[in-house]
Amino acid sequence: MAPRPTPRALAAPAPGWTADADVVVIGSGIAGLVAALRCRAHGRVLLVTKALLDAGSTRWAQGGIAAALDADDSPADHLADTLTAGVGVCDEAAVRVLVTEGPDAVRRLVDLGARFDLAASGEISLTREGGHHRRRIAHAGGDATGAEISRALRAALKETGIEVIEHALVLDLLKDGAGRAAGVTLHVMGEGQPGGVGAVRAPAVVLATGGLGQVFSATTNPDVSTGDGVALALRAGAEVSDLEFVQFHPTVLWLGPGARGRQPLVSEAVRGEGAYLVDGSGERFMVGRHELAELAPRDIVAKGIMNRMRETGEPCMYLDARHFGADMWERRFPTILAACRDHGIDPVTDLIPVLPAAHYASGGVRTDLDGRTSVPGLYACGEVACTGVHGANRLASNSLLEGLVFAERIAAAIGAEPLPEIPEADLAAVPGTLPDPAARGEIQRIMTAYTGVLRDADGLATAERELAALGGDAEPGVAAWETANLHLVASAIVAAARRRTETRGSHWRADHPDRDDAAWRGHLVTRLDGGELTTHFEEMA
Ligand code: SIN
């Protein structure tokens, strides 16, 4: 059966209410909150978010935010580590922006109220994570960096009085007659808010919707990470890039073979502070596989773990951090300690069972250095975006920094020119049907089985066929809209993954085991064209 073409908009009733803004920001992680705070100087900002303001990935970020803050460090060193992790396909200009603007952006975050852990000297205390050749990761509350950044930014937002709509699932981009972004449609559920399907009309739309980890069965991402921004951008005709590079975090707490949904992370910083990876017999299997051993870039560690599991037949590997002792565990990693103890593991006395799980989309909606997408008036920042800084594999703790730096750049770009008037847009109902929400589990099963760390042509062809066969005739509703988004994003990931017949970065093609083929040094750019996904390769200069 031929797949049904993907419509340019989700089936939905006509908006029952409208609101106007100069800038509508969608999402409330570090990128969305910073974009909203900084855009306020340029006009009326409306921030919409899918659940509560702190429900996205930012608050779960443990390790920290990377920046060359130490006197002995430099943006050039940070650049070199980022390019190495990205294995040849980072956009060097974007990385240069990230690493040179990063330190001051972090200092501005402190000015906004974020309280990082301090060393005895009074300077920000810095730790190390995989792929970093020096200590460069600022952290807060030990291992609760994202929660502290989210707290500080939400407090700052409250002071500004910026209007917020929570429990708002964004549906589609509105466009004016010239094809420019004109706002979004969205569905809101919540007391004291406008209800049902509505429209926000705005000449500048900033997508900061976060990740897509929920396309896999087990992920570190929260439930809200269903790829809504990438799906919206595809339906709007925008280019997305590098989607095949889904990063798997090497050390996610293993909760057993049937574990589903958001899984507890065991931060790289635990290894940064001296924990070892061992197999069931206690052997440190990363030693000798890479000069940085357990602190190799995370794709190398994830593959090392998967390889060792295959060699030994064990269902997981183990982190040994018993030598930290109770005091260090309680002071430095209270969140991880509590999560482990909640699951009956005491890291002070036990090995921690770990396994790689889907963690981060290194690709996303393609942007320029100011966050502009290929649709005029539509911007993207944070995990939903592909600025080019991550290449094939994001360097640890570069994600919060990317959200921060590029959100500020978007605000500066929006402020640099007078904003157009509130645009007119077609607010008619969108006819059609949607996939059955029951397909969500099937999508996750297919993606986990065939599109994980280890891939091959047969498996990816099966994934494409099985995804195309998923149908349904559901009425509009939150579960059906989310399932449509997951289905479109999963299909786009598979299309790009099939095309890239080499092993690079976050994934490993069993049928193309040689790494980093020079002919594949470039980007796979995907669009939705006439209802079909098309993917083309752009070689890098
Ligand atoms: C971690 O703390 O290991 C996660 C940090 C990141 O994903 O960059």
Side-chain angles (χ1 to χ4, degrees):
M1 187 179 70
R4 279 190 297 198
T6 305
R8 293 165 66 96
L10 293 168
W17 55 271
T18 57
D20 291 347
D22 294 306
V23 183
V24 58
V25 177
I26 303 149
S28 56
I30 187 169
L33 291 169
V34 170
L37 285 164
R38 300 296 186 216
C39 281
R40 188 165 166 270
H42 313 313
R44 184 177 161 211
V45 176
L46 176 60
L47 186 144
V48 302
T49 192
K50 189 169 173 181
L52 294 172
L53 273 177
D54 68 345
S57 289
T58 291
R59 75 168 257 223
W60 297 104
Q62 294 178 348
I65 183 162
L69 294 164
D70 192 89
D72 288 338
D73 197 0
S74 69
D77 287 352
H78 190 183
L79 177 100
D81 285 345
T82 302
L83 296 180
T84 301
V87 273
V89 290
C90 295
D91 175 343
E92 190 167 331
V95 181
R96 212 169 279 287
V97 163
L98 180 83
V99 298
T100 52
E101 297 184 10
D104 280 346
V106 171
R107 290 181 192 108
R108 285 191 289 276
L109 200 54
V110 172
D111 292 343
L112 274 172
R115 295 189 289 256
F116 290 102
D117 296 335
L118 301 180
S121 63
E123 299 293 318
I124 291 178
S125 165
L126 300 171
T127 189
R128 229 181 121 187
E129 291 183 359
H132 292 272
H133 279 82
R134 57 173 69 247
R135 288 182 168 261
R136 128 172 354 119
I137 322 291
H139 47 88
D143 57 2
T145 312
E148 168 56 16
I149 290 174
S150 174
R151 181 208 61 76
L153 291 174
R154 284 182 285 118
L157 189 85
K158 202 165 170 195
E159 272 183 26
T160 65
I162 287 173
E163 198 183 334
V164 174
I165 304 181
E166 294 179 312
H167 303 290
L169 172 66
V170 67
L171 302 179
D172 277 301
L173 189 72
L174 293 167
K175 286 187 181 174
D176 68 11
R180 201 192 140 86
V184 288
T185 53
L186 65 173
H187 177 268
V188 180
M189 289 184 304
E191 283 174 26
Q193 316 228 39
V197 172
V200 176
R201 297 182 304 185
V205 176
V206 182
L207 275 184
T209 47
L212 48 77
Q214 291 289 331
V215 298
F216 293 91
S217 301
T219 172
T220 60
N221 291 191
D223 290 351
V224 291
S225 301
T226 51
D228 307 324
V230 168
L232 171 148
L234 280 167
R235 286 190 298 267
E239 290 180 343
V240 304
S241 185
D242 298 5
L243 273 193
E244 70 275 30
F245 298 126
V246 176
Q247 183 173 72
F248 290 76
H249 195 288
T251 55
V252 173
L253 187 62
W254 186 65
L255 300 179
R260 298 276 176 276
R262 195 187 74 77
Q263 309 292 305
L265 182 69
V266 183
S267 174
E268 294 218 11
V270 174
R271 278 172 281 136
E273 297 293 349
Y276 314 125
L277 272 169
V278 293
D279 63 18
S281 68
E283 187 182 329
R284 279 184 69 188
F285 57 89
M286 283 307 297
V287 174
R289 291 193 189 216
H290 190 277
E291 44 135 1
L292 292 174
E294 283 91 350
L295 284 175
R298 59 180 52 163
D299 61 310
I300 312 264
V301 180
K303 287 171 196 168
I305 291 175
M306 298 299 286
N307 266 332
R308 194 65 185 150
M309 283 166 53
R310 288 197 329 166
E311 284 159 16
T312 64
E314 293 169 274
C316 63
M317 290 287 119
Y318 300 90
L319 265 176
D320 188 352
R322 294 173 293 185
H323 51 287
F324 287 2
D327 281 359
M328 176 159 162
W329 266 109
E330 277 157 22
R331 178 179 43 79
R332 186 64 185 81
F333 298 114
T335 312
I336 299 168
L337 181 67
C340 288
R341 285 182 171 163
D342 280 352
H343 291 94
I345 298 144
D346 188 345
V348 180
T349 51
D350 300 333
L351 297 176
I352 308 171
V354 290
L355 185 78
H359 181 57
Y360 192 85
S362 293
V365 185
R366 195 181 205 194
T367 72
D368 68 8
L369 296 182
D370 292 322
R372 292 186 192 88
T373 72
S374 56
V375 174
L378 177 66
Y379 300 80
C381 53
E383 188 172 352
V384 70
C386 181
T387 59
V389 301
H390 305 312
N393 181 45
R394 175 176 64 85
L395 182 66
S397 287
N398 267 357
S399 47
L400 291 175
L401 189 70
E402 187 204 28
L404 171 65
V405 166
F406 286 88
E408 289 193 338
R409 289 180 74 87
I410 286 176
I414 288 175
E417 286 172 17
L419 274 165
E421 297 291 303
I422 301 293
E424 290 302 325
D426 180 4
L427 298 182
V430 180
T433 58
L434 293 156
D436 184 343
R440 183 179 178 131
E442 258 312 273
I443 295 166
Q444 293 168 333
R445 180 195 64 74
I446 295 165
M447 294 301 283
T448 302
Y450 304 115
T451 318
V453 176
L454 184 60
R455 304 168 177 182
D456 63 31
D458 289 348
L460 290 167
T462 305
E464 190 172 83
R465 200 172 51 250
E466 292 189 357
L467 285 171
L470 293 176
D473 218 0
E475 293 292 313
V478 170
W481 285 317
E482 274 193 350
T483 307
N485 288 341
L486 286 167
H487 186 256
L488 177 55
V489 169
S491 305
I493 292 171
V494 171
R498 275 197 85 178
R499 185 87 191 264
R500 187 174 282 279
T501 48
E502 65 153 359
T503 289
R504 185 186 295 268
S506 326
H507 73 270
W508 175 22
R509 281 288 296 249
D511 49 346
H512 295 278
D514 291 342
R515 289 189 62 95
D516 311 337
D517 181 345
W520 272 112
R521 203 174 152 263
H523 302 286
L524 284 166
V525 180
T526 302
R527 293 189 53 203
L528 196 59
D529 235 345
E532 304 295 333
L533 287 167
T534 62
T535 297
H536 71 271
F537 181 65
E538 284 183 14
E539 201 173 341
M540 291 174 73

